[in-house]
Amino acid sequence: MTRFLLDRMLGQTTKWLRLLGVDAEYAPTDIDDDELMKISSEEGRILVTRDKELAQTENAYLAPKKDAVEVVKLLLEEFEIELNPMTRCTLCNSPVERVLKEDVLEDIPEGVREQQDEFWRCVSCEHIYWRGSHWDNILETLQELMPEDKLPKA
Ligand SMILES: [Zn+2]
């Protein structure tokens, strides 16, 4: 399975990849090119960067200066990627798991409590997800990126 390491400036691309369930790490803030390449080779990740020199190295990909969704489209064309939307935390790249509403009641705002029944929690940072008011926008973009039969059910 293709895994990625995204260089600085590609934070939004990282988020979209994670939303699609793709294993995408984001470069730590204070890291130099050598360390970045080391992580990419040790963890077997394709390094996605806007740095032309860095992109010359093995297992690196030069991301054009396009918007995040366009870059994701290019990556989907270029690499073999399995899509599992809503399975990964957009904040920390760890898996999320379905949780029962009653188990997260304390941790969600009241308005959400009334309107939502399905919840997911990150196994690592414990961030809780639901399909809130932004979900329609997210789904619209996911529709652009992936085949209909792979889309999460509304
Ligand atoms: Zn997380």
Side-chain angles (χ1 to χ4, degrees), residues 2-20:
T2 312
R3 289 139 52 93
F4 295 97
L5 172 63
L6 290 101
D7 201 358
R8 312 303 300 173
M9 322 280 286
L10 293 165
Q12 280 303 317
T13 305
T14 308
K15 279 208 163 148
W16 279 111
L17 286 171
R18 289 174 181 171
L19 262 168
L20 291 165

Side-chain angles (χ1 to χ4, degrees), residues 2 15 19 23 26 35-36 43 51 67 72 82 86 88-89 91 93 99 113 115 123-124 131 137-138 147 150 154:
T2 312
K15 279 208 163 148
L19 262 168
D23 185 343
Y26 191 47
E35 287 173 281
L36 207 54
E43 299 185 7
D51 182 324
D67 80 42
V72 172
E82 192 182 315
M86 302 294 290
R88 205 171 274 277
C89 180
L91 300 177
N93 198 39
V99 283
R113 231 177 274 172
Q115 286 174 15
V123 299
S124 172
R131 291 168 180 175
N137 293 335
I138 292 172
K150 285 268 188 176

Side-chain angles (χ1 to χ4, degrees), residues 37-93:
M37 288 187 315
K38 191 161 167 255
I39 299 175
S40 123
S41 87
E42 277 179 3
E43 299 185 7
R45 295 178 180 278
I46 306 281
L47 176 61
V48 182
T49 180
R50 286 200 169 142
D51 182 324
K52 285 196 177 114
E53 246 172 78
L54 206 49
Q56 300 291 323
T57 57
E58 210 185 334
N59 292 324
Y61 178 84
L62 182 65
K65 283 211 170 96
K66 294 186 169 183
D67 80 42
V69 172
E70 293 303 317
V71 174
V72 172
K73 278 186 197 164
L74 292 170
L75 291 173
L76 293 177
E77 282 169 18
E78 182 80 16
F79 300 98
E80 200 164 307
I81 300 175
E82 192 182 315
L83 303 174
N84 296 298
M86 302 294 290
T87 58
R88 205 171 274 277
C89 180
T90 56
L91 300 177
C92 77
N93 198 39

Side-chain angles (χ1 to χ4, degrees), residues 127-145:
H127 187 80
I128 296 167
Y129 292 89
W130 60 85
R131 291 168 180 175
S133 52
H134 295 303
W135 177 246
D136 286 346
N137 293 335
I138 292 172
L139 196 59
E140 219 168 276
T141 304
L142 291 182
Q143 277 163 344
E144 256 184 71
L145 290 170

